Amino acid sequence: MNASCEAMASSLPLLLLVLCSLSVAQCQLRLFNLRATGLPSDLLGTTDGYVKVFCGADTLGKTSVRNDNANPWWEEEFTYFKAQENEVMRLEVHDSDLLFDDLLGVCQRQLKLGTYEHDCYLEKGGTLHYTYTFG
């Protein structure tokens, strides 16, 4: 084996390690199909619901507010390119009010590779349904 072939052969494991770490770093999270059923009413009427989305320590954003709707559906999709396997995705369902917003419940899930549909039962009543793809 000549010197250039030996140098290439010895750097191959390093190259594979770099490529593997890049594929882990580039995992994409896509959260979509957010909808709720049976959100509770309060003294001010039917829930004005919205969802805040977090992945690890990062805030991914929030949906629009669906006024006077116990069974809202949100069109927003959330995409995050820095997600890592087993990182926790957190969804907070809120009721928008004039003075302060009520937290209706929190849904948390450790990310796994693949596509999943989940139902999350909220502490103050109702269910959040969502789908995510991670990979």
Side-chain angles (χ1 to χ4, degrees):
M1 213 183 226
N2 67 28
S4 64
C5 288
E6 286 176 9
M8 213 163 78
S10 67
S11 64
L12 187 59
L14 179 61
L15 178 63
L16 288 174
L17 180 64
V18 169
L19 289 175
C20 287
S21 66
L22 286 176
S23 67
V24 170
Q26 293 180 351
C27 282
Q28 176 183 337
L29 169 66
R30 181 174 160 251
L31 173 68
F32 58 100
N33 196 26
L34 287 155
R35 54 192 165 69
T37 54
L39 294 181
S41 297
D42 61 15
L43 294 175
L44 301 174
T46 306
T47 300
D48 301 323
Y50 68 93
V51 181
K52 288 183 179 179
V53 180
F54 305 88
C55 187
D58 293 328
T59 303
L60 305 188
K62 68 179 186 174
T63 66
S64 56
V65 175
R66 295 289 187 225
N67 292 312
D68 300 319
N69 192 340
N71 302 302
W73 178 74
W74 295 276
E75 296 177 9
E76 290 89 349
E77 289 189 7
F78 298 88
T79 304
Y80 184 58
F81 293 97
K82 295 180 183 176
Q84 297 180 9
E85 191 170 5
N86 296 319
E87 192 166 29
V88 175
M89 175 179 63
R90 188 172 85 250
L91 309 176
E92 296 179 355
V93 181
H94 293 265
D95 177 17
S96 179
D97 287 325
L98 190 57
L99 296 177
F100 64 92
D101 296 348
D102 298 317
L103 178 63
L104 301 178
V106 176
C107 304
Q108 294 190 126
R109 177 81 44 192
Q110 271 192 315
L111 297 175
K112 296 181 180 167
L113 294 174
T115 299
Y116 301 92
E117 290 184 22
H118 290 288
D119 293 334
C120 173
Y121 301 98
L122 305 172
E123 290 89 10
K124 294 196 176 174
T127 305
L128 178 66
H129 314 275
Y130 63 93
T131 305
Y132 82 85
T133 298
F134 180 64

